[in-house]
Amino acid sequence: MKKHNFSAGPSILPQEVLQQAAKAVIDYNNEGLSLIEMSHRSKAFVDIMENARALVLELLGLEGKGYQALFLQGGASLQFLMTAMNLLEKKAGYVNTGAWSEKAIKEAQKIGEIIEVVSSKDANFNYIPKGYNVPSDLDYLHLTSNNTIFGTQIKSFPTTPVPLVCDMSSDIFSRVLDFTQFDLIYAGAQKNMGPAGTTLVVVKEDLLGKVSRNIPAILDYQKHIGADSMLNTPPVFAVYTSLLTLEWLKKEGGITAIEEANEKKATLMYSEIDLNPLFKGFAAVEDRSTMNATFNLADEALKPTFDAMLKEAGISGVNGHRSVGGYRASMYNALPIESVQALVEVMSELENKA
Ligand SMILES: *Cc1c(COP(=O)(O)O)cnc(C)c1O
């Protein structure tokens, strides 16, 4: 039986994408070659890379606006370092909304001066700080749009002349935003775009080339742009499968349509958390993520029963992160609402039993 996959990452992909990707591993486009055994300089793969980069900009509404899309390696974790390498000259600001922001800060500190503009650590990151001042002398302000572990999401981004850099690993392509407000966006593919192994970077070109340090080639965005995102052998399978997912998203109606579906799933999930007395939500209500719903049992003694019921219903991947505990339902783009219904049913069954 196919499970209801609530995994936080690597996570669910559309079934049709998995089928197409599996076929391409055996024989890509009836060429008599596997996708993963052909040259990345072949016309077949060069087209894949070009299409993927173009479709990213199209879906984000960034075509012809001075942005470049890159498919890199090293995960979002390498971007913690690479953004600072390429953009940090004097001082950068970070909004600390959780474990991933903290890691981003730690890496950037190895490159230059960092200030923590604001933090929600005082309440174990269960909310998004608001109304803070952004100093005007920063090279950039770094944000984490969706806090995968804590289940909070920035709903409204600061307006500032300072360039915005945003880690969108767990909510890229999930909701309509004015993406032109960001100067650099990065996202590990494995949460909402594709398999692990590639990281999307979308960067406004005029932001680059301003720092004085000598950037190693493999860490230099300009070098990657100059090489059409093929400075070295790209992760061909991850890029192709990401392209398939983006094509699926376009066919579904793009970000506008998926946002509506994501809202419905989140509403269903959070109403159960709020109405069922056996559960309590972790994140502040106004900052709740549409992607990762974090919640706890009101009475830990019910855990074995609840876990057994989840297993019985084929619900997978809902264990909370060790720093929050409890449960986390990740409801990425490819998760059907039927899976949320299945989870909600188990939660209300527990209420009937208890
Ligand atoms: C998962 C995640 C990361 C880390 O991604 P890797 O690709 O494993 O390096 C960074 N930021 C956020 C918000 C994440 O959810």
Side-chain angles (χ1 to χ4, degrees):
M1 185 183 87
K2 185 80 188 161
K3 287 192 173 152
H4 297 290
N5 185 357
F6 289 90
S7 172
S11 40
I12 186 166
L13 290 171
Q15 198 57 30
E16 64 183 76
V17 165
L18 295 180
Q19 270 152 10
Q20 287 170 282
K23 189 182 167 300
V25 167
I26 304 299
D27 186 355
Y28 176 69
N29 209 14
N30 302 320
E31 301 219 8
L33 288 174
S34 161
L35 170 78
I36 59 173
E37 58 174 20
M38 64 168 74
S39 168
H40 61 291
R41 304 287 176 198
S42 64
K43 173 154 180 6
F45 188 76
V46 170
D47 286 350
I48 288 169
M49 182 59 98
E50 255 178 38
N51 292 341
R53 296 176 71 206
L55 191 47
V56 164
L57 297 182
E58 182 190 326
L59 287 166
L60 297 177
L62 293 176
E63 264 174 328
K65 297 195 170 143
Y67 288 83
Q68 290 277 352
L70 299 169
F71 284 90
L72 306 180
Q73 298 181 65
S77 299
L78 181 58
Q79 294 311 309
F80 299 159
L81 174 77
M82 206 162 151
T83 45
M85 270 255 164
N86 283 264
L87 306 177
L88 176 53
E89 184 72 8
K90 287 205 184 79
K91 189 165 64 171
Y94 280 67
V95 174
N96 185 2
T97 51
W100 295 118
S101 311
E102 287 190 321
K103 288 191 178 171
I105 292 169
K106 260 200 189 129
E107 288 306 285
Q109 272 169 340
K110 295 169 186 166
I111 306 299
E113 188 188 345
I114 299 302
I115 59 161
E116 193 179 271
V117 172
V118 69
S119 163
S120 51
K121 200 184 176 105
D122 55 354
N124 196 21
F125 300 113
N126 75 351
Y127 72 101
I128 298 288
K130 295 166 201 81
Y132 49 89
N133 245 0
V134 180
S136 59
D137 61 342
L138 301 173
D139 294 325
Y140 62 87
L141 178 71
H142 182 282
L143 304 158
T144 311
S145 57
N146 185 70
N147 299 283
T148 326
I149 293 172
F150 300 93
T152 61
Q153 188 174 35
I154 300 178
K155 307 292 176 183
S156 156
F157 292 86
T159 326
T160 164
V162 170
L164 292 185
V165 171
C166 193
D167 176 358
M168 293 196 189
S169 290
S170 51
D171 69 350
I172 184 96
F173 301 116
S174 73
R175 56 174 168 161
V176 177
L177 289 174
D178 173 10
F179 291 97
T180 63
Q181 68 189 303
F182 305 101
D183 296 80
L184 190 149
I185 296 165
Y186 63 89
Q190 69 275 14
K191 308 264 166 64
N192 212 19
M193 189 178 70
T198 191
T199 310
L200 174 66
V201 173
V202 178
V203 60
K204 205 169 183 184
E205 255 189 291
D206 66 10
L207 189 68
L208 302 174
K210 294 182 181 163
V211 293
S212 52
R213 79 178 52 82
N214 189 4
I215 306 170
I218 198 72
L219 301 179
D220 187 339
Y221 293 127
Q222 284 185 312
K223 293 261 165 44
H224 285 284
I225 292 168
D228 299 324
S229 199
M230 294 218 245
L231 188 59
N232 67 325
T233 314
V236 293
F237 179 77
V239 173
Y240 178 62
T241 308
S242 297
L243 171 60
L244 293 176
T245 311
L246 296 174
E247 285 172 340
W248 167 84
L249 176 57
K250 184 175 172 175
K251 211 178 65 191
E252 293 287 300
I255 298 182
T256 315
I258 212 77
E259 177 182 51
E260 207 178 299
N262 288 335
E263 292 284 351
K264 280 196 187 129
K265 290 185 281 178
T267 303
L268 179 59
M269 187 68 230
Y270 286 118
S271 347
E272 181 64 26
I273 292 172
D274 289 340
L275 293 175
N276 190 326
L278 299 185
F279 296 94
K280 46 183 197 302
F282 173 79
V285 171
E286 72 274 17
D287 302 324
R288 282 171 165 176
S289 166
T290 53
M291 297 277 97
N292 315 95
T294 43
F295 56 99
N296 292 77
L297 275 166
D299 176 6
E300 273 300 308
L302 289 171
K303 186 171 168 51
T305 313
F306 185 51
D307 287 352
M309 290 165 71
L310 289 170
K311 194 165 176 215
E312 176 67 26
I315 288 166
S316 160
V318 291
N319 276 333
H321 190 272
R322 60 190 180 278
S323 54
V324 179
Y327 296 89
R328 169 175 51 171
S330 297
M331 304 173 286
Y332 297 122
N333 286 354
L335 185 85
I337 194 158
E338 289 75 20
S339 289
V340 181
Q341 276 157 354
L343 172 55
V344 161
E345 264 167 41
V346 173
M347 292 165 76
S348 67
E349 250 177 66
L350 183 72
E351 189 189 357
N352 296 339
K353 252 190 202 181

